[in-house]
Amino acid sequence: MIIAANLKTNLTRVETNKYLEEIEDFIKSKNLTQEVLVFPAMSSLDSNESSIIVGAQNAYATKDGAFTGEIGLVHLEEFAIKTILIGHSERRHILGETQEELVKKFNYYKNLGFKIVYCVGEPLEKREAGKIEMMEYISSQYEGIDTEYENLIIAYEPVWAIGTGLTPTLEDIQDIHTELKMKSTAPLLYGGSVKVTNAKEVLALQNVDGILVGSAALYAEHFCSMIEFAQELDSK
Ligand code: PGA
């Protein structure tokens, strides 16, 4: 399974390195074989020789150039980073990235062979508008995306569940994941208020191939427990 941590705008470089070390020690001590991804803040990116895959939360679709405030491929290459998160709801809804911009970014990093974690998910008003409208909205986030890309991972994250402590019911997660699996056979993660207390039951659902965790992942020991849950389920 794939267990991913989105550290967002948290942890300095020193703190991130300590965090990664703690997780790597745990993985080694327990011989865990799950795929573990960590997305640190941009200025916390660093060289990484652990088994953890470190990815960027964002980068511009460029090698370098005049794009104030952005980073490009050269900055990722400096640390041998080949993984990127695209389409996270905070970038779509707070930072205003459009589907068109995301597609451009997706294609740029796809052509470079990056592992891409591409996020989709509906805001509350779409969920409340009923299943059809909700699924139409989520489908529109697949527009222009190569759903067959071999290094693609999709994360379903309902916007209203991110950082709120609210989650869909387990039945809802399974139901939506089953529908989304028809759009792409890429591994499908669930994200949105995954905690150490609900991670196991979410991971156990059919068509859930892993989790993308924000706030709860900031506690290294909680994140480690989630990796261990995945291992237990895998060995059943
Ligand atoms: P959360 O965030 O776990 O804090 O809800 C998840 C995410 O934004 O990826």
Side-chain angles (χ1 to χ4, degrees), residues 6 8 88 90 157 161-164 191-194 212-216:
N6 176 6
K8 307 192 179 183
H88 188 275
E90 283 146 19
E157 300 200 301
I162 295 179
T164 58
S193 295
V194 175
L212 176 55
V213 191
S215 35

Side-chain angles (χ1 to χ4, degrees), residues 93-105:
H93 300 288
I94 301 177
L95 295 150
E97 273 187 281
T98 63
Q99 186 65 17
E100 202 184 347
E101 286 164 335
L102 295 174
V103 167
K104 209 169 140 200
K105 197 172 280 189

